[in-house]
């Protein structure tokens, strides 16, 4: 009964969208009988809108500059969709500014996200679903980022295949602030080659040029595509597909994931030649700049790609940088200053470790993953020992530790991290104890 009540608003919205779309489509088809001008009708079709709404709700995300939350979107659409739809059909809809938000990069510095309003995320998602269905089949087989049925793991395995085929050098191209420096004219010319609907082209251009709000300060945008909206990855792939096609034309082996592109060659010398010519091509044809400091020609084992390396024998392993990020995150969750119950800490760890293992599973090494699990156990023993405080001796005795060992441990001058490796805590808090609380092991028994 409760489920039916929760679904009722969605059904009402669905019916409203369906009636309005059918009425509007008939009128517009009479005015524009040509088959080419059908994108906006397809984008605003009830089935497509309903799918877009579900995706935005599932992705959740923060509010934009207007403060509207994802939960409020359905009610807003029910009340205002008729007006919004008319604006879309007449080319009058204007997106709101994006909310600027900075997040730290793993390698230092910050990445600037532009968070659209939930309404704009909904409209962008509806556009994405129509355009991606058409455009994606035309993209290169060497492109893996932000595409249906493709993943980072598939990209790394393709790199492994090239290595095993004898391509033991990699040219890593780092596009300098790619999302911030996309040339609007170049991108819109590529959109125009594929889209005949002037309303959709005008709307995409407005999404590209929409400014950003940081606090109360508005900044206009003259280039780039804001990261954070559903449409940006597709537009990035549209532009970088030009690079992919150039690499294919030259017969080069490459793997690209968004703006991270690796080209695999057989010697350093050929790598230098490829790097020079492709850098020139990117600058002249796509108006993009390669960051020379971060780009390189090296062995795949020395270059992290999507958190992995290709080792000497062609084996996929988790990179040192990824391990460092992993430990930093676990340290945050198991900080002795948090003061949370051990069950809550393990619940948070379970979510993170499950996702981490799923992503990095193709770089599995039993020894390395066992070491990481053992290190996590020490973090948790150290966490509990700090919480026990003066109750340390009594808790050790209750867990079956001998009187002498419990006494020596509880009176030790060593800090919690050192004590976490002691025989007493290994007896009192064995691996099975944490597993019984829900902690997953990274390695296979």
């Amino acid at each position: 009964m409760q489920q039916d009540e929760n679904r009722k608003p969605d059904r009402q919205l669905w019916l409203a969208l369906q009636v309005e779309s059918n009425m509007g489509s008939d009128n517009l088809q009479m005015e524009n009988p040509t088959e080419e001008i059908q994108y906006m009708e397809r984008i605003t079709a009830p089935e497509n809108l309903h799918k877009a709404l579900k995706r935005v709700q599932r992705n959740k995300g923060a509010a934009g500059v207007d403060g509207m939350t994802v939960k409020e979107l359905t009610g807003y659409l029910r009340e205002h969709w008729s007006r919004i739809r008319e604006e879309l059909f007449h080319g009058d809809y204007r997106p709101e500014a994006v909310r600027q938000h900075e997040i730290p990069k793993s390698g230092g510095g910050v990445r600037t996200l532009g968070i659209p309003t939930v309404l704009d995320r909904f409209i962008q998602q509806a556009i994405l679903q129509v355009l991606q269905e058409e455009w994606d089949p035309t993209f290169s087989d060497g492109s893996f980022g932000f595409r249906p049925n493709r993943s980072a793991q598939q990209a790394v395995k393709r790199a492994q295949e090239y290595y095993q085929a004898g391509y033991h050098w990699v040219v890593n191209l780092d596009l300098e602030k790619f999302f911030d420096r996309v040339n609007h004219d170049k991108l819109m010319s590529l959109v125009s080659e594929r889209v005949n609907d002037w309303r959709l082209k005008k709307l995409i251009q407005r999404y590209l040029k929409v400014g950003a709000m940081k606090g109360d300060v508005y900044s206009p945008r003259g280039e780039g595509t804001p990261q954070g909206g559903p449409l940006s990855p597709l537009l990035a792939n549209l532009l970088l597909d030009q690079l992919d096609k150039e690499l294919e034309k030259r017969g080069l082996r490459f793997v690209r994931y968004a703006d991270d592109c690796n080209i695999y060659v057989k010697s350093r010398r050929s790598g230098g030649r490829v790097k020079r010519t492709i850098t020139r091509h990117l600058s002249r044809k796509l108006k993009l700049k390669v960051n020379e400091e971060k780009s390189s020609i090296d062995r795949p084992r020395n270059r992290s790609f999507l958190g992995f390396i290709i080792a000497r024998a062609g084996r996929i392993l988790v990179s040192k940088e990824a391990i460092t990020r992993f430990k930093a995150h676990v340290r945050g969750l198991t900080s002795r200053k948090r003061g949370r119950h051990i069950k809550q800490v393990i619940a948070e760890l379970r979510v993170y470790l499950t996702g981490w293992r799923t992503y990095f599973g193709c770089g599995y090494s039993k020894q390395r993953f066992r070491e990481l699990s053992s290190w996590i156990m020490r973090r948790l023993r150290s966490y509990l020992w700090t919480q026990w405080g003066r109750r340390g001796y009594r808790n050790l005795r209750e867990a079956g530790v001998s009187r002498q060992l419990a006494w020596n441990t509880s009176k030790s001058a060593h800090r919690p991290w050192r004590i976490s490796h002691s025989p007493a805590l290994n007896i009192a808090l064995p691996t099975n104890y944490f597993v019984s609380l829900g902690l997953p092991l990274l390695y296979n028994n």
Side-chain angles (χ1 to χ4, degrees):
M1 186 67 180
Q2 185 66 37
Q3 288 182 347
D4 289 342
E5 291 177 359
N6 291 337
R7 291 174 183 167
K8 189 174 181 180
D10 283 345
R11 285 205 304 270
Q12 291 174 348
L13 176 62
W14 166 261
L15 292 173
L17 295 178
Q18 192 170 33
V19 171
E20 290 168 7
S21 293
N22 289 339
M23 290 172 60
S25 295
D26 291 340
N27 294 335
L28 279 163
Q29 284 171 6
M30 290 169 57
E31 297 173 6
N32 302 291
T34 58
E35 292 185 5
E36 287 123 353
I37 308 178
Q38 294 297 320
Y39 279 102
M40 197 57 74
E41 285 76 12
R42 290 163 58 192
I43 288 165
T44 57
E47 296 84 356
N48 190 56
L49 293 174
H50 194 254
K51 182 180 176 183
L53 179 61
K54 290 296 183 184
R55 175 56 65 93
V56 171
Q57 290 172 334
R58 186 162 62 248
N59 290 346
K60 299 180 181 178
V65 294
D66 62 353
M68 187 192 302
T69 65
V70 172
K71 289 183 179 179
E72 296 170 323
L73 178 60
T74 301
Y76 184 86
L77 288 174
R78 192 182 302 115
E79 185 176 350
H80 297 282
W81 176 246
S82 179
R83 171 185 57 79
I84 295 167
R85 183 180 163 281
E86 287 301 310
E87 291 178 358
L88 290 171
F89 275 178
H90 290 93
D92 297 329
Y93 180 81
R94 291 186 176 275
E96 294 276 0
V98 297
R99 182 168 65 83
Q100 200 171 82
H101 178 66
E102 294 180 346
I103 58 173
K105 288 184 178 180
S106 56
V110 295
R111 175 179 287 107
T112 302
L113 297 182
I115 303 174
T117 64
V118 290
L119 174 60
D120 282 321
R121 293 209 294 271
F122 167 68
I123 295 172
Q124 285 192 38
Q125 180 64 36
I127 296 171
L128 171 68
Q129 290 164 183
V130 170
L131 295 186
Q132 190 168 59
E133 185 178 1
E134 277 192 10
W135 295 2
D136 192 76
T138 70
F139 290 159
S140 169
D141 186 52
S143 167
F144 291 86
F146 306 109
R147 296 182 60 189
N149 304 314
R150 289 184 168 237
S151 66
Q153 293 77 14
Q154 291 173 333
V156 174
K157 288 179 180 178
R158 178 69 61 84
Q160 180 188 43
E161 291 172 8
Y162 290 146
Y163 184 91
Q164 292 172 338
Y167 296 86
H168 293 171
W169 290 87
V170 60
V171 180
N172 174 253
L173 296 176
D174 184 275
L175 300 178
E176 191 172 287
K177 296 183 178 180
F178 168 72
F179 284 94
D180 295 332
R181 295 185 174 172
V182 168
N183 184 276
H184 288 174
D185 292 337
K186 178 61 181 177
L187 183 53
M188 284 309 302
S189 71
L190 295 173
V191 171
S192 296
E193 290 176 7
R194 295 170 179 253
V195 174
N196 293 318
D197 192 327
W198 65 271
R199 301 164 298 180
L200 179 55
K201 287 191 287 186
K202 191 173 183 179
L203 181 57
I204 290 175
Q205 189 164 40
R206 283 176 175 168
Y207 274 124
L208 286 175
K209 293 186 177 296
V210 70
M213 291 289 292
K214 187 175 183 181
D216 295 327
V217 179
Y218 175 82
S219 302
R221 179 180 295 274
E223 60 179 1
T225 174
Q227 295 186 71
L231 200 53
S232 292
L234 179 66
L235 295 176
N237 273 333
L238 176 65
L239 180 62
L240 289 175
D241 189 59
Q242 305 299 299
L243 169 62
D244 300 341
K245 295 298 192 290
E246 179 66 20
L247 296 175
E248 288 177 347
K249 188 170 73 175
R250 298 185 186 196
L252 295 170
R253 278 78 176 168
F254 72 96
V255 181
R256 183 178 65 79
Y257 193 95
D259 58 338
D260 196 352
C261 183
N262 279 0
I263 305 169
Y264 294 86
V265 294
K266 290 190 173 182
S267 69
R268 179 183 284 275
R269 184 177 179 180
S270 61
R273 184 175 63 252
V274 166
K275 184 172 178 291
R276 285 192 304 273
T277 57
I278 294 301
T279 297
R280 189 163 55 245
H281 175 81
L282 284 166
S283 177
R284 292 179 179 177
K285 300 293 185 181
L286 302 182
K287 312 300 182 186
L288 296 173
K289 184 179 180 181
V290 172
N291 188 328
E292 294 290 345
E293 292 183 2
K294 294 185 178 180
S295 300
S296 66
I297 307 162
D298 209 336
R299 299 287 191 179
R301 63 178 175 270
N302 299 326
R303 298 296 303 180
S304 176
F305 179 50
L306 301 174
F308 299 90
I309 62 167
I310 309 297
R312 285 182 186 274
R315 188 179 177 191
I316 299 173
L317 297 175
V318 182
S319 70
K320 291 180 180 179
E321 294 86 351
I323 295 294
T324 299
R325 292 194 295 271
F326 170 85
K327 286 191 170 184
H329 191 86
V330 172
R331 283 191 185 98
L333 294 178
T334 58
S335 171
R336 296 193 296 272
K337 297 178 181 179
R338 296 189 73 196
R340 299 187 180 183
H341 194 279
I342 188 64
K343 289 184 179 180
Q344 184 176 355
V345 173
I346 287 180
E348 294 172 354
L349 276 173
R350 181 168 61 248
V351 174
Y352 178 67
L353 296 180
T354 301
W356 192 89
R357 173 64 192 268
T358 299
Y359 181 87
F360 286 103
C362 66
Y364 178 77
S365 164
K366 186 170 184 177
Q367 179 180 352
R368 189 62 172 134
F369 280 40
R370 183 188 288 274
E371 289 172 356
L372 289 174
S373 281
S374 298
W375 176 80
I376 293 169
M377 300 301 171
R378 282 196 67 180
R379 293 287 309 175
L380 292 173
R381 291 183 185 114
S382 177
Y383 185 89
L384 276 175
W385 181 251
T386 301
Q387 283 198 337
W388 285 353
R390 294 181 179 181
R391 294 180 290 110
Y393 174 79
R394 184 178 63 189
N395 288 346
L396 290 176
R397 290 288 293 138
E398 290 176 354
V401 179
S402 68
R403 180 176 300 174
Q404 187 64 43
L405 184 57
W407 178 261
N408 291 341
T409 303
S410 62
K411 296 303 179 181
S412 172
H414 292 305
R415 296 182 64 81
W417 178 248
R418 176 76 176 271
I419 294 177
S420 68
H421 198 48
S422 67
L425 259 67
N426 275 275
I427 293 170
L429 301 171
T431 297
N432 288 342
Y433 170 75
F434 296 112
V435 171
S436 70
L437 294 179
L439 184 73
L441 297 177
L442 293 177
Y443 61 91
N444 300 325
N445 289 319

